[in-house]
Amino acid sequence: MNDHLNQFEEWRDYLERLAYRMLGSRSDADDVLQEAFLRWSRTDTDDVKLPRAYLAKIVTRLCIDRRREIDVRKETYIGPWLPEPIVQQMAGADRTVELAETVSLAMLYVLERLSPVERAAYVLRQIFDYDYGEIAEILQKSATNCRQLVSRAEQRVVNGRPRFAAAADDVARISGEFLRACSSGDLDGLLQLLTVDAVMISDGGGKATAARRPVEGADRVARFFLGIVRKTPAYGRAQTVLVNGQPGLAAWIDDVLVAVFVFDLDGDRIRSIFAIRNPDKLPSQVGECIGPSGSRA
């Protein structure tokens, strides 16, 4: 058992990154890793030449099954469904954490459009750089079929993302300006920061106050946020944090984290705002991120 545990721990971070990108949920990724270890502990490791590849296969197949379960949950979910964010304090961090664009909350939201198998193929190929032969072995499909899966997935991803990814410094600057405009009740200032067709997507899951449909249009989005500020108690506070490696905003009431806001830019304006309010998706404390990169070591 110690040999099984030591080998699993050697690749835990890698497997965790893989599972999170496939599921968009840290809690579901943790469940998958627990089940993966149980299966690994029953495996005769003498017959396993490449433990990482073998473990990645186990985790991928478990993630496909878990994605199907998540898709069923989404059918009865109240309001929009957003990925579960990974939040870290900016001040006091031991190091600057820069996650790849492939794990940004906006990217994970786009990946929600894919079927479980499409998402697995896309993540393995485009994020973890597996070749099509490896993907075919993991998914138990032909290499040609896997190419088609990745091609379809890539087209959907491209259609859902801005042409150019914004730099972290630009996101930090604009999110700071957005917070200041909200705090001062500056409607014109907010409108200058938003694209005309800006949209806000809010995930409360029926457990926190949130818009049950996307709020569309710069004016509606700006007024929605000004309304939030007016209703916030005097002891509420907001600050800049890292959300999946990109600057975002976190809101607290007393010492309870009640919301996380992520901004997706188009040029120098905000085109999408993701608001996570479901307490089940918010961390009890703001801590470490899931790792610096999704690429293969």
Side-chain angles (χ1 to χ4, degrees):
M1 178 60 76
N2 285 339
D3 288 343
H4 284 87
L5 179 60
N6 290 338
Q7 287 180 317
F8 191 84
E9 288 300 320
E10 180 180 356
W11 299 111
R12 175 181 287 276
D13 288 346
Y14 178 83
L15 299 171
E16 188 177 41
R17 295 196 301 271
L18 176 64
Y20 178 69
R21 285 157 175 77
M22 288 192 182
L23 299 174
S25 165
R26 186 68 175 269
S27 55
D28 283 299
D30 287 343
D31 289 345
V32 161
L33 259 63
Q34 289 181 30
E35 177 61 26
F37 176 72
L38 290 176
R39 297 193 181 192
W40 173 248
S41 66
R42 297 192 293 266
T43 301
D44 184 353
T45 57
D46 291 338
D47 297 331
V48 178
K49 295 181 180 180
L50 299 171
R52 185 182 70 172
Y54 191 91
L55 287 165
K57 181 189 296 185
I58 294 175
V59 167
T60 298
R61 292 178 179 175
L62 288 172
C63 282
I64 290 172
D65 291 340
R66 182 56 65 99
R67 275 303 321 176
R68 293 183 175 126
E69 294 174 9
I70 291 172
D71 289 344
V72 170
R73 297 205 303 263
K74 288 167 64 176
E75 291 176 2
T76 56
Y77 195 75
I78 299 175
W81 174 287
L82 292 176
E84 182 181 320
I86 299 172
V87 188
Q88 185 192 40
Q89 295 278 5
M90 294 190 74
D94 292 335
R95 59 187 173 86
T96 301
V97 177
E98 294 183 356
L99 296 187
E101 160 70 5
T102 47
V103 79
S104 71
L105 200 83
M107 182 64 173
L108 290 175
Y109 178 70
V110 172
L111 292 181
E112 290 292 323
R113 302 179 180 187
L114 307 180
S115 73
V117 176
E118 284 177 337
R119 183 162 177 164
Y122 181 87
V123 168
L124 289 170
R125 176 60 185 167
Q126 303 292 32
I127 300 178
F128 287 82
D129 198 29
Y130 280 72
D131 64 43
Y132 285 107
E134 293 173 305
I135 298 171
E137 167 64 21
I138 291 173
L139 299 183
Q140 295 184 318
K141 296 180 179 295
S142 69
T144 299
N145 196 337
C146 291
R147 287 180 183 276
Q148 293 171 345
L149 285 169
V150 173
S151 178
R152 287 200 302 267
E154 188 170 27
Q155 188 59 52
R156 294 185 187 181
V157 169
V158 169
N159 290 340
R161 299 292 296 124
R163 185 177 177 184
F164 301 106
D169 288 346
D170 291 334
V171 179
R173 173 178 56 81
I174 292 173
S175 61
E177 292 176 4
F178 187 89
L179 178 58
R180 287 189 290 273
C182 285
S183 300
S184 62
D186 182 3
L187 176 60
D188 289 338
L190 287 176
L191 292 175
Q192 290 298 314
L193 294 170
L194 297 164
T195 62
V196 174
D197 59 348
V199 60
M200 189 209 70
I201 301 168
S202 182
D203 180 344
K207 298 183 178 183
T209 302
R212 296 196 177 185
R213 294 182 179 179
V215 178
E216 299 177 336
D219 186 72
R220 292 185 65 197
V221 171
R223 293 182 187 278
F224 185 91
F225 272 91
L226 292 180
I228 291 176
V229 171
R230 285 194 295 269
K231 296 175 183 177
T232 301
Y235 47 85
R237 61 188 176 90
Q239 72 178 70
T240 303
V241 293
L242 288 174
V243 184
N244 289 46
Q246 290 289 323
L249 298 177
W252 279 267
I253 300 295
D254 287 331
D255 292 326
V256 178
L257 181 64
V258 296
V260 169
F261 300 97
V262 179
F263 302 90
D264 195 27
L265 304 188
D266 186 359
D268 58 356
R269 293 195 174 194
I270 300 168
R271 79 160 190 166
S272 303
I273 302 174
F274 302 101
I276 300 94
R277 301 215 61 212
N278 185 343
D280 293 342
K281 294 186 178 182
L282 295 174
S284 57
Q285 57 183 359
V286 177
E288 289 298 321
C289 281
I290 203 165
S293 174
S295 59
R296 299 176 76 176

